[in-house]
């Protein structure tokens, strides 16, 4: 018998938000007319028309609120919308990949949130419910994830005869390991018990911000705002085109006769560069403290929940069965500090919609010794220490160097126009950087086909390990660039529904690549594909 819940509406605050979105655009022309009207009588007419438009906008907002409803059917979430043209969208629970929510400061004061329902259909959310009470979000999360989980498990068991749905459940030791990974974490979990897997302290956030070094993003964002405000030209004119105190004047004083000696100038330049780098790291740290404030990763049943943010509070629910690719990443500072970063990719995990939350790694920073326990939660039985790594082609180093020489040559050629012989020194530095990176990458690069996953270890200064289970692989492919063909090499790719495609094994001998692809096809065909 079909069960259907009652129709639900968004929070009444949505009326004010709709009006806030429409009124500025609708009333701007009238405001201009009001201040430019030559006669008081005409200004009064403009004012009356503007008031009428505002009333119409208010009616539209109320109508949209009344006509936007959602309900929970037995198998799907049904959303109805549209004032004149009615739309009804049914989203099966089993197709929902992620359920994300964000709250800005105003929404937090009002106790409401914005919810994004994502499937694997693309980069845009399948539905966005602009204003929901927090209690409604919890109800949606419970209904969608429980119903979707039960149906997905039943579908998996049906699709794979002889395989119990328990195959997706974590190994008996996984939970206790995860609990030990976080002091104070709950030792038992079920569908209604929250188990804390990771809680970041302010010290952790400072380290994460210092390591990830996203301060340059803030600086570029500030420059973009200046450009939008039309202030960039004024700043450039002030710095370059004025006579006194401009960069041109300073440069002339430095480089002209009687200017600063070369060595002293080099010291000043190095000091300025160091200060700039420290300032960028400081900005990155402050941003991490704000962006990841009170970061917490929890497990509730078979779902992962993350919550973070000081100004905009973001929460995300990710079913464990939806994980497409697992990424373990570490930079040089991670290794020096004994830390790692763990991220996952899911179908529909990225969005370009303004205001939609951007997904952070499930562990922006985590002590190295806690990574194995977290990986066992994400993929039961996964143990990177027991992986038998396979090497790539013996001549991979030469192939990498040849493929990376373009930019050193191009940049040095351009530099020669301006600094002549110093371009040779620049080319030497870039060449050393290329050789060091290639050597480090060859040393780290390896791959493995385990009993249930393809795993690739790659990177030079920043290293990554990408893991994808065979039942997540959609397509396998083999490719060769002209340099690969000349070197007798090929790459094998296993695509998943994750945001960045999947896993790639580069620089394999051609014959070996064919065998690896054939083995991948065979192992993938033996498993039932699951989202």
């Amino acid at each position: 018998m079909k069960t259907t819940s009652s129709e639900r509406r968004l929070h009444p605050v949505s009326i004010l938000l709709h009006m806030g979105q429409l009124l500025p655009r609708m009333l701007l022309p009238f405001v201009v007319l009001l201040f430019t009207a030559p006669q008081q009588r005409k200004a009064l007419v403009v004012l009356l028309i503007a008031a009428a438009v505002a009333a119409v906008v208010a009616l539209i907002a109320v109508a949209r609120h009344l006509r936007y409803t959602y309900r929970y059917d037995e198998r799907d979430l049904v959303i109805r919308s549209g004032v004149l043209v009615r739309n009804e969208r049914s989203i099966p629970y089993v197709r929902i990949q992620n359920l994300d929510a964000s709250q800005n400061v105003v929404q937090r004061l009002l106790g409401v949130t914005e919810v994004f329902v994502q499937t694997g259909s693309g980069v845009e959310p399948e539905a966005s419910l602009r204003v929901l009470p927090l209690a409604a979000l919890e109800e949606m999360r419970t209904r969608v994830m429980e119903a979707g989980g039960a149906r997905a498990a039943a579908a998996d068991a049906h699709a794979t005869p002889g395989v119990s749905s328990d195959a997706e459940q974590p190994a008996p030791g996984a939970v206790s390991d995860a609990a030990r990974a976080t002091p104070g974490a709950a030792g038992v979990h079920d569908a209604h018990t929250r188990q804390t897997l990771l809680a970041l302290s302010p010290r952790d956030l400072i380290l994460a911000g210092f390591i990830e070094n996203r301060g340059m993003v803030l600086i570029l964002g500030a420059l973009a705002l200046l450009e939008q405000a039309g202030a960039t030209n004024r700043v450039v004119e002030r710095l370059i085109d004025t006579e006194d105190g401009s960069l041109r004047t300073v440069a002339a004083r430095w480089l002209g006769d009687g200017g600063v000696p070369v060595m002293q100038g080099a010291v000043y330049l190095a000091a300025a560069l160091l200060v700039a780098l420290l300032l960028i790291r400081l900005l990155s740290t402050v941003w991490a403290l704000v962006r990841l404030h009170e970061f917490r990763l929890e497990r509730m049943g078979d779902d992962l929940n993350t919550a973070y943010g000081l100004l905009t509070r973001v929460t995300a629910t990710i079913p464990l069965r939806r994980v497409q690719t697992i990424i373990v990443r570490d930079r040089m500072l991670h290794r020096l500090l004994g830390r790692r970063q763990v991220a996952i990719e899911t179908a529909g995990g990225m969005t370009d919609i303004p205001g939609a939350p951007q997904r952070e790694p499930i562990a922006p920073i985590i002590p190295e010794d806690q990574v194995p326990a977290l990986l066992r939660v994400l993929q039961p039985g996964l143990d990177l220490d027991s992986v038998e790594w396979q090497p790539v082609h013996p001549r991979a180093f030469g192939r990498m160097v040849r493929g990376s020489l373009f930019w050193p040559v191009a940049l040095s050629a351009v530099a020669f126009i301006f600094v002549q012989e110093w371009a040779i020194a620049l080319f030497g530095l870039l060449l050393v950087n290329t050789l060091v990176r290639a050597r480090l990458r060859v040393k780290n690069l390896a791959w493995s086909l385990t009993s249930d996953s393809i795993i690739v270890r790659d990177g030079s200064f920043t290293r990554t390990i990408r893991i994808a289970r065979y039942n997540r692989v959609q397509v396998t492919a083999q490719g060769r660039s002209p340099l690969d063909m000349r070197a007798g090499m090929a790459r094998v790719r296993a695509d998943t529904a994750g945001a960045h495609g999947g896993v790639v094994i580069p620089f394999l001998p051609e014959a070996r690549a064919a065998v690896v692809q054939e083995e991948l096809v065979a192992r993938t065909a033996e498993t039932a594909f699951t989202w």
Side-chain angles (χ1 to χ4, degrees):
M1 178 179 178
K2 184 177 180 180
T3 59
T4 301
S5 71
S6 60
E7 297 283 347
R8 290 163 167 76
R9 288 197 174 90
L10 303 180
H11 194 281
V13 171
S14 65
I15 298 174
L16 298 178
L17 292 183
H18 284 310
M19 292 178 64
Q21 292 174 348
L22 293 175
L23 279 178
R25 286 177 289 176
M26 300 291 289
L27 295 183
L28 182 60
F30 297 101
V31 173
V32 175
L33 288 174
L34 187 63
F35 285 98
T36 57
Q39 299 176 7
Q40 185 176 3
R41 184 176 179 181
K42 290 184 177 179
L44 180 61
V45 172
V46 171
L47 190 61
L48 291 175
I49 295 176
V53 170
V56 171
V57 169
L59 288 175
I60 292 175
V62 172
R64 289 177 63 175
H65 171 74
L66 295 176
R67 301 286 279 175
Y68 193 106
T69 62
Y70 66 95
R71 70 172 188 269
Y72 302 102
D73 281 358
E74 184 180 7
R75 296 181 175 83
D76 49 3
L77 171 65
V78 181
I79 298 175
R80 306 181 70 192
S81 61
V83 178
L84 299 178
V85 178
R86 296 292 288 162
N87 298 307
E88 181 171 303
R89 179 177 297 183
S90 296
I91 309 172
Y93 299 132
V94 75
R95 293 289 185 268
I96 296 177
Q97 301 285 325
N98 314 294
L99 198 59
D100 296 349
S102 69
Q103 288 180 287
N104 57 34
V105 175
V106 175
Q107 290 169 334
R108 293 172 74 176
L109 292 173
L110 296 172
V112 298
T113 186
E114 192 169 355
V115 180
F116 301 88
V117 181
Q118 295 186 333
T119 66
S121 61
V123 298
E124 295 186 2
E126 193 64 40
S128 58
L129 293 87
R130 291 294 178 182
V131 188
L132 279 183
L134 291 179
L137 170 62
E138 288 303 317
E139 180 190 16
M140 177 177 290
R141 181 175 287 146
T142 302
R143 282 178 175 268
V144 169
M145 295 307 168
E146 286 186 355
R151 292 193 175 281
D156 291 346
H158 178 73
T160 311
V163 178
S164 168
S165 60
D166 292 340
E168 295 289 335
Q169 301 300 320
V175 175
S176 57
D177 288 344
R180 285 196 297 271
T182 306
V188 179
H189 72 88
D190 57 37
H192 303 285
T193 302
R194 291 182 183 273
Q195 175 195 359
T196 300
L197 301 177
L198 180 67
L200 297 183
S201 65
R203 179 176 178 273
D204 295 326
L205 299 184
I206 291 173
L207 290 179
F210 189 78
I211 293 173
E212 66 185 5
N213 195 22
R214 293 191 189 178
M216 201 62 202
V217 177
L218 293 180
I219 294 176
L220 293 176
L223 292 176
L225 289 176
L226 284 176
E227 177 65 24
Q228 291 294 322
T232 306
N233 292 336
R234 292 197 296 273
V235 173
V236 172
E237 290 173 359
R238 185 173 182 81
L239 290 176
I240 296 178
D241 293 341
T242 57
E243 293 297 332
D244 298 326
S246 67
L247 287 180
R248 179 184 296 174
T249 305
V250 172
R253 288 174 182 168
W254 273 46
L255 301 176
D257 294 338
V260 178
V262 174
M263 288 304 298
Q264 187 175 346
V267 172
Y268 287 163
L269 187 61
L273 183 61
L274 179 61
V275 171
L277 292 176
L278 289 176
L279 178 61
I280 291 173
R281 294 276 178 179
L282 178 62
L283 287 174
S284 176
T285 301
V286 173
W287 191 22
L289 285 168
V290 174
R291 194 180 78 253
L292 301 175
H293 177 70
E294 292 185 350
F295 182 96
R296 185 172 291 272
L297 170 67
E298 296 176 327
R299 179 176 184 176
M300 190 171 177
D302 288 332
D303 299 331
L304 292 178
N305 296 324
T306 57
Y308 51 87
L310 177 61
L311 301 179
T312 297
R313 190 71 179 167
V314 177
T315 60
T317 300
I318 310 160
L320 280 168
R321 64 184 179 281
R322 301 301 194 197
V323 174
Q324 300 288 320
T325 312
I326 302 171
I327 304 107
V328 181
R329 183 179 293 112
D330 60 77
R331 304 181 182 188
M332 290 185 66
L333 286 176
H334 278 117
R335 296 191 286 276
L336 289 174
L337 297 170
R339 300 292 196 277
R340 295 289 184 271
Q341 183 187 82
V342 179
I344 58 174
E345 292 179 352
T346 62
M350 294 183 67
T351 176
D352 294 332
I353 297 296
Q358 296 299 315
R359 185 72 56 78
E360 294 285 346
I362 60 166
I365 189 168
I366 182 173
E368 184 178 0
D369 59 353
Q370 295 183 15
V371 173
L374 180 58
L375 293 182
R376 284 194 291 273
V377 172
L378 298 174
Q379 182 173 320
L382 178 60
D383 181 9
L384 293 180
D385 292 334
S386 64
V387 171
E388 296 180 1
W389 296 105
Q390 303 295 320
V392 293
H393 197 290
R395 298 198 303 273
F397 173 75
R399 163 66 183 83
M400 289 182 199
V401 173
R402 285 192 292 274
S404 305
L405 280 179
F406 173 77
W407 285 112
V409 172
L411 291 175
S412 301
V414 173
F416 184 79
I417 300 174
F418 301 96
V419 294
Q420 287 80 44
E421 64 272 13
W422 285 101
I424 299 175
L426 175 63
F427 177 75
L429 289 175
L430 295 176
L431 180 61
V432 169
N433 176 64
T434 300
L435 295 175
V436 170
R437 282 182 177 276
R439 177 58 64 192
L440 291 175
R441 189 182 178 195
V442 164
K443 184 179 178 181
N444 183 53
L445 185 57
W447 59 277
S448 180
L449 299 183
T450 67
S451 61
D452 62 351
S453 305
I454 173 175
I455 307 175
V456 175
R457 190 180 66 193
D458 201 352
S460 52
F461 294 112
T462 299
R463 300 175 179 174
T464 59
I465 298 176
R466 298 180 67 88
I467 306 150
R469 280 194 277 191
Y470 300 130
N471 62 357
R472 302 299 194 267
V473 174
Q474 302 193 79
V475 176
T476 62
Q478 189 182 158
R480 293 180 298 167
S481 68
L483 288 177
D484 286 334
M485 288 187 278
R486 181 178 175 83
M489 300 182 193
R491 64 180 182 277
V492 174
R493 184 181 189 93
D495 286 338
T496 69
H500 294 94
V503 179
V504 179
I505 309 175
F507 309 126
L508 285 175
E510 285 183 336
R512 183 63 169 153
V515 173
V516 170
Q517 187 189 14
E518 186 177 345
E519 191 170 349
L520 262 178
V521 171
R523 297 194 182 194
T524 302
E526 291 172 355
T527 61
F529 173 75
T530 57
W531 281 94

